[in-house]
Amino acid sequence: MTKEVTLKELCYYMFFGILAFAKGIGLYDGQKIFVAFLLVAGVFWMLKICLTKHTLKEWLLMGFLLLIAGLSYLNNGGDKSPVIAVMVVVGMKDIPLKRLFKVGAAIWGCTFVGTVTASLLGIWPTVELVHDKGFLGYVVRDSLGMTHPNVLHISYLVLIGYLFLAFDWKGKAIMKPILLSLLGSVYIFIYSLSYTGFLFFIAYVILIVYFNLPRKITKGEEILVQCLMPFCVLFSLVGPLVLKGRAFEIVNKMVNTRFWLSRNYLTTVKLRLLGQPMFVEGSYSIDNSYLYCLYYYGVILFACF
């Protein structure tokens, strides 16, 4: 990775950083201020595209993806996330990943810490919810300035991901960041009480420790890592349909009724090639990112991702 930051890189970092900042402080689609951030970010994205050399094949592919994303936006009721996701991907040419992760870690870290601190001081609005959390009974969950307690823990996990991807901690040097991040996750869990968020964090840390053991990674292990994403997709989309009886009940309880919600969607709402409005009459809410993408982005864009 070269030390010099090119103009096209800077434009992409501005595009990415503006969006990360907007999401990091809790803004969301539909707010006028978020749209303003998005428009400014879009200007930097267009500059980056114009400054980057592309082949005819790349231009055609970018055009196809943007067309599908645009049609998805028109069909899903105005959710801009498919367009933003495609813009992030097609703008990545010639962008060093390590440097981008450092930009993400800096911006997301500042916004996350700032939002949480402001919430604890009472100068930033927060969301408090009462939920039945199994053996804990009914508890009060706090989002610490985020839009939902679950978002709080996932936002923390995103920050940890940025940090471990941005900095090459190896061997014994990695243990201190792991311990500090674990303490941070416990602290966040006290407020969020997000079982899923905490379990995702533990799984991520286990993988980090495993692949930092002093040995050579085998080909079989590399293949297993590549299979993680397809497994998660199949588990989320096929699992609710194939599991029956007691097995379904156990898994459904482990994932906080998400399997039940997913099965209701998969069996009552038709799939569409180019997405559909978020609120479909007679449907249930979705708390599953893969299912959300499949239904609201559409089958074509889901397959591309």
Side-chain angles (χ1 to χ4, degrees):
M1 183 174 65
T2 59
K3 292 183 178 180
E4 183 182 355
V5 178
T6 63
L7 181 58
K8 62 183 177 183
E9 274 185 64
L10 182 60
C11 287
Y12 189 83
Y13 297 150
M14 290 298 296
F15 157 72
F16 187 86
I18 289 169
L19 292 179
F21 177 82
K23 294 300 295 182
I25 62 174
L27 300 182
Y28 52 86
D29 194 12
Q31 294 177 310
K32 290 182 179 180
I33 187 172
F34 179 80
V35 174
F37 273 101
L38 183 58
L39 289 173
V40 175
V43 171
F44 283 106
W45 179 84
M46 285 190 289
L47 288 172
K48 194 281 175 182
I49 295 297
C50 293
L51 290 168
T52 304
K53 291 182 179 180
H54 294 95
T55 64
L56 177 61
K57 183 179 178 180
E58 289 171 339
W59 279 113
L60 291 173
L61 181 58
M62 285 193 299
F64 170 76
L65 290 173
L66 289 169
L67 175 63
I68 297 300
L71 292 173
S72 174
Y73 161 73
L74 294 174
N75 280 294
N76 67 23
D79 182 357
K80 303 176 186 65
S81 54
V83 178
I84 296 172
V86 169
M87 289 171 67
V88 170
V89 173
V90 300
M92 276 294 298
K93 185 178 181 181
D94 297 335
I95 301 299
L97 281 177
K98 285 286 185 184
R99 189 176 284 163
L100 180 62
F101 288 139
K102 288 181 179 180
V103 171
I107 295 174
W108 197 264
C110 290
T111 56
F112 181 84
V113 173
T115 301
V116 169
T117 302
S119 174
L120 290 170
L121 293 174
I123 57 178
W124 189 266
T126 188
V127 176
E128 293 183 346
L129 302 173
V130 178
H131 283 164
D132 182 2
K133 300 298 289 184
F135 69 91
L136 290 178
Y138 285 93
V139 296
V140 178
R141 305 173 65 195
D142 195 323
S143 71
L144 292 183
M146 304 297 170
T147 54
H148 192 281
N150 289 345
V151 175
L152 168 64
H153 217 120
I154 292 302
S155 296
Y156 177 77
L157 183 59
V158 169
L159 172 59
I160 297 304
Y162 273 136
L163 290 171
F164 278 95
L165 289 168
F167 301 99
D168 267 333
W169 292 307
K170 300 291 183 182
K172 293 181 179 179
I174 202 172
M175 294 312 299
K176 185 176 180 180
I178 286 177
L179 290 175
L180 289 174
S181 64
L182 177 59
L183 290 174
S185 189
V186 170
Y187 180 79
I188 293 298
F189 178 77
I190 292 173
Y191 290 90
S192 74
L193 292 171
S194 172
Y195 295 153
T196 307
F198 190 76
L199 287 175
F200 270 132
F201 170 81
I202 295 299
Y204 182 64
V205 167
I206 289 173
L207 287 174
I208 290 174
V209 172
Y210 180 80
F211 285 104
N212 273 277
L213 293 175
R215 61 184 182 79
K216 186 178 180 180
I217 304 300
T218 66
K219 190 67 177 179
E221 289 171 330
E222 291 180 1
I223 294 173
L224 285 175
V225 170
Q226 295 300 319
C227 289
L228 282 176
M229 179 68 175
F231 171 78
C232 290
V233 174
L234 289 173
F235 178 77
S236 296
L237 301 181
V238 180
L241 298 176
V242 299
L243 289 182
K244 306 292 182 182
R246 183 60 178 164
F248 178 87
E249 292 176 6
I250 292 173
V251 176
N252 186 52
K253 188 174 183 179
M254 289 174 62
V255 295
N256 293 322
T257 72
R258 287 181 175 87
F259 257 37
W260 180 83
L261 292 168
S262 296
R263 186 171 66 179
N264 276 288
Y265 235 94
L266 289 164
T267 55
T268 60
V269 183
K270 292 182 180 180
L271 289 171
R272 300 184 187 276
L273 291 177
L274 296 171
Q276 56 190 301
M278 182 177 299
F279 299 105
V280 182
E281 186 176 354
S283 68
Y284 299 85
S285 63
I286 291 182
D287 194 7
N288 179 323
S289 57
Y290 303 119
L291 197 64
Y292 185 98
C293 180
L294 178 62
Y295 273 97
Y296 299 140
Y297 290 11
V299 175
I300 297 178
L301 203 54
F302 176 84
C304 290
F305 282 131

